[in-house]
Structure formats: C-alpha cells, structure tokens
Amino acid sequence: SGINFDKFDCIAVKVTGENPPRAIDSFQSANLRKYVVENILKSGYKKPTPIQKHAIPIIMAGRDLMGCAQTGSGKTAAFLLPIINTLLQDPRDLQTGEHGAQPQVVIVSPTRELTLQIFNEARKFSHGSVLKIAVAYGGTAVRHQGDSIARGCHILVATPGRLNDFVDRGRVSFESIRFVVLDEADRMLDMGFMPNVEKMMGHPTMVPLKERQTLMFSATFPEDIQHLAGRFLNNYLFVAVGVVGG
Ligand code: ADP
Ligand code: MG
C-alpha cells in the first residue's frame, strides 16, 4: 500500500514485565499456522511492523498485553493474527444459551469506522476458515447485526455502546470468552465509553481475568490508562513503540 514501515525500525521499543518472549523478525518465524501466514502474504504484508514483532509472540504465549504505538503502526494485525491463530489451533464449538450467543473473542473500539476496519481485516486474515465474525455498531438498525450475532460468532467486533445494548437485551454474553481486546483505549476514555467498558469487564457472565487473555492498545499512555491496565490486565507485558504520552 506504499507505506514504508522501515521508518519505524529506528524507533526505540520498550518492553517491560516478567519473562517477555523473544520478538519475531518475520511472519514465517512466528510459529503461526501455514494457513495464517498465507493469508498474511496475500494481504501484501511482507514483514511485521515493530509492534507486531513484539505483540504476536506475547499473545501467542498466552500473556496479557498493553501495547502503545502510534496510529498507522499496524496494531490491528498485531492482535488479530495471534487471536485467529489460537482459535484455529484450538477450535471450540460456538455456544448459545439462556444468555444469548457467546462469542469467544470480543474486540471493542470507539468508532463505527474503526470497528468496520477491524471486522474487514479479521475477515481477510481468516478467509477460507470456519471462523465466524460479527460486527455491531450504533447508528444503524439492530436487526441485521443481531441476526448475525444470534447465528453464533467466534469473534465479535463492536463499539462499546452497541455491545451493551446487545448484552442488556440478553443477546450476547461473555461466558465463552477467550480474548478481550480494548482497541484505542485512550480514545474510548476521551469519548466517555469507560462506563460501558467497565460494565463488560465486570459483567456477571464474564470469564475471570486469569482464565482469559486481555489485550489493550492505545496510542498514548496517560496515567488514567495506566490505572485501567492495572485493573483489566493480569501479569501483563507492556510494549511501547516510539514516544508515548503521559
Ligand atoms: P493502527 O491500528 O496501529 O493505527 P492499522 O492496523 O490500522 O494501524 O494499520 C495501518 C495500515 O497498515 C493498514 O492499512 C494495514 O493494512 C497496514 N499494515 C499493517 N501491518 C502491515 C505490515 N506488516 N505490512 C504492510 N502493511 C501493514
Ligand atoms: Mg487501530
């Protein structure tokens, strides 16, 4: 796409936390399934960006992550690739129950545009697999989105408000959750979405902190985001690429 990611290579990467796994230097050396690597190459990605080099092995090692990197640095693939790899490696049946459909992955992001971007990337990287991906955002009728959620989905990509609508209607629950991703956490905070995020994290059906993986991404790392990371993440690794605010 004409973006020169080499410019990021000279930016310092800081990793803190217990026993971080080694960064990867190519998608081929990441221990990803052949199918996933093929879909990456089909997307035109030749080598991982700095955040991807660190985040992919951390997530594949089962660790929680707080990732800070500027907009355009490839954070979406940094979490989608290892999540999709894990789901394909260890497929679990889709469940629906008294609390509605039970996604295995929930990804929240602040805007409809970002949610659609993540949804489209997820479809691209899982193309040709059994994985079902659903999307939910506000400003449009609930019905179509609700139908695709009700059919069961492995991955649900949603804005916090619309997600809460589905949860309140008893149409989504969190008892099958394996991954929670909070994308653009700083923007979600600025836009007033934290009560919705808190509600999801503390929902009675939510899988406990230590039995799920939680991944937070943010362009900046001010004190309030640091506090949220401390509460939402378990023994997490922190990866910062370049300059982070706070
Ligand atoms: P961020 O979430 O950090 O703002 P995105 O994940 O939206 O960044 O990625 C920005 C752009 O770079 C997208 O168009 C994406 O497809 C592209 N991209 C991401 N990773 C790579 C890569 N390894 N090689 C080439 N392009 C990439
Ligand atoms: Mg992003």
Side-chain angles (χ1 to χ4, degrees), residues 71-72 74-76 79 114 117-118 183-184:
T71 300
K75 295 189 287 295
T76 316
F79 62 79
L114 287 166
Q117 274 173 19
I118 297 165
D183 194 26
E184 307 247 3

Side-chain angles (χ1 to χ4, degrees), residues 35-36 39-40 43 80-81 83-85 87-88 119-133 154-155:
Y35 166 85
V36 176
N39 275 349
I40 297 169
S43 303
L80 282 179
L81 295 171
I83 287 174
I84 288 168
N85 194 73
L87 297 186
L88 295 173
F119 173 67
N120 287 324
E121 291 255 299
R123 285 209 298 192
K124 204 169 62 178
F125 293 135
S126 64
H127 181 78
S129 80
V130 297
L131 295 185
K132 289 187 181 173
I133 303 164
H154 297 90
I155 301 177

